[in-house]
Amino acid sequence: MTNTMLNIKVVQPRMMSIRQAADYIGIPLKRFNRICSVRPVALSEGDERYDIRDLDQWLDYLKQGHPDPDDEIVGRLG
């Protein structure tokens, strides 16, 4: 019997597609589009990506019991 060593490197991308961002949050894409107030970053050639740090900040804000920042602004406008 031979021993084999696997060298696997997993890299978490900082910038994610909308599908990856929805998967990261753990919700369906359709729902992500409705509830996530994080705006994507415009990259070259019309490509848009979501910054994992922005997603984490948004989730942390929600975990603290705060309403979604966009909903809060709309609520103040009446």
Side-chain angles (χ1 to χ4, degrees):
M1 193 181 241
T2 58
N3 290 332
T4 304
M5 180 182 270
L6 295 176
N7 187 9
I8 299 174
K9 184 176 183 179
V10 177
V11 176
Q12 173 67 50
R14 177 170 171 189
M15 303 302 283
M16 297 181 279
S17 69
I18 190 169
R19 166 74 60 200
Q20 291 171 315
D23 289 343
Y24 178 74
I25 299 296
I27 59 176
L29 181 59
K30 191 181 230 182
R31 189 165 171 220
F32 180 86
N33 284 325
R34 282 195 329 262
I35 70 167
C36 184
S37 64
V38 174
R39 300 295 173 240
V41 176
L43 301 176
S44 63
E45 300 179 24
D47 196 19
E48 294 185 332
R49 293 284 186 247
Y50 289 83
D51 189 329
I52 194 169
R53 293 177 186 170
D54 293 340
L55 293 169
D56 287 341
Q57 184 178 16
W58 174 67
L59 289 172
D60 289 341
Y61 193 75
L62 293 178
K63 277 178 46 180
Q64 294 171 5
H66 299 288
D68 187 289
D70 284 353
D71 291 342
E72 193 174 324
I73 292 168
V74 171
R76 281 191 240 147
L77 294 174

